[in-house]
Amino acid sequence: PATMGGRVNDIEVVDNDPRIIYAALASGGIMKSVNGGTSWTVVFDKEAVPGVGDIAISPSNPSIVWAGTGEANNRQSSSWGNGIYKSMDAGKTWKLMGLAETHHIARVVVHPTNPDIVYVAATGKLWGPSPERGVYKTTDGGKTWQQVLKVNDDTGATEIAIDPESPNILYAAMYQRRRTVFG
């Protein structure tokens, strides 16, 4: 009841088939269209949390879709998440792949040619310090994660961009944030 809906946090389109669109909702899971947005189906409604901060489609295998839970917008009504999910079947089923304590995931980036390499920008707990803030990386498709960038317990990662020409180069934006009840 405290969650205010209506916000879309991310929209992703399959590169080689722009009819397939995913939309991450602040408090409503993930919607998918296979006809260019004419009609939509909910594909992330059986999971433990409804708030999705970001979606990423693997460029080398569009059947692999990642969903970072927890809205990263800095609002009193931001829904927190329970980690990152992975779908191997284009959103039909989802599996929780860890990072539960990150609470809010702002961005997920998949390596352009290796779908097992994924980066996650985690903003951490909204209301207090959080050692889980920062950038995480997996090289085994989400079985294990390593925190590869951390500033401090008050600074989370809000954005990651991967250089498509040199995918070993990443750019990350960090944001010191601590939400209070009224500000």
Side-chain angles (χ1 to χ4, degrees):
T3 302
M4 296 179 178
R7 293 182 306 281
V8 176
N9 288 325
D10 188 29
I11 296 174
E12 294 293 331
V13 178
V14 173
D15 286 337
N16 61 0
D17 189 351
R19 296 172 301 164
I20 302 173
I21 307 166
Y22 295 86
L25 308 176
S27 60
I30 297 172
M31 304 282 291
K32 181 180 179 182
S33 176
V34 294
N35 55 18
T38 301
S39 61
W40 294 84
T41 304
V42 178
V43 296
F44 195 87
D45 60 343
K46 295 176 180 68
E47 311 317 318
V49 295
V52 179
D54 195 49
I55 307 166
I57 302 167
S58 170
S60 61
N61 181 352
S63 291
I64 301 174
V65 182
W66 291 86
T69 62
E71 180 186 18
N73 294 319
N74 199 6
R75 303 171 46 94
Q76 285 104 331
S77 62
S78 294
S79 299
W80 60 86
N82 68 340
I84 188 158
Y85 287 78
K86 180 181 181 182
S87 175
M88 297 292 290
D89 54 15
K92 291 180 187 146
T93 61
W94 297 90
K95 181 179 179 185
L96 183 59
M97 301 302 292
L99 302 180
E101 293 302 313
T102 58
H103 281 248
H104 301 272
I105 294 177
R107 188 70 63 219
V108 181
V109 176
V110 183
H111 190 280
T113 59
N114 184 344
D116 288 334
I117 300 175
V118 180
Y119 299 90
V120 170
T123 56
K125 294 176 184 170
L126 187 60
W127 302 95
S130 179
E132 296 81 15
R133 295 177 188 223
V135 176
Y136 290 84
K137 178 183 181 182
T138 182
T139 58
D140 57 13
K143 292 179 184 121
T144 61
W145 294 90
Q146 178 183 5
Q147 190 177 40
V148 294
L149 177 61
K150 178 180 173 154
V151 174
N152 59 42
D153 289 356
D154 291 318
T155 305
T158 58
E159 184 65 75
I160 303 173
I162 192 167
D163 186 330
E165 300 294 320
S166 301
N168 291 328
I169 298 174
L170 276 85
Y171 301 91
M174 306 299 283
Y175 172 45
Q176 184 178 1
R177 77 175 202 162
R178 173 99 44 100
R179 186 69 190 187
T180 60
V181 177
F182 298 106

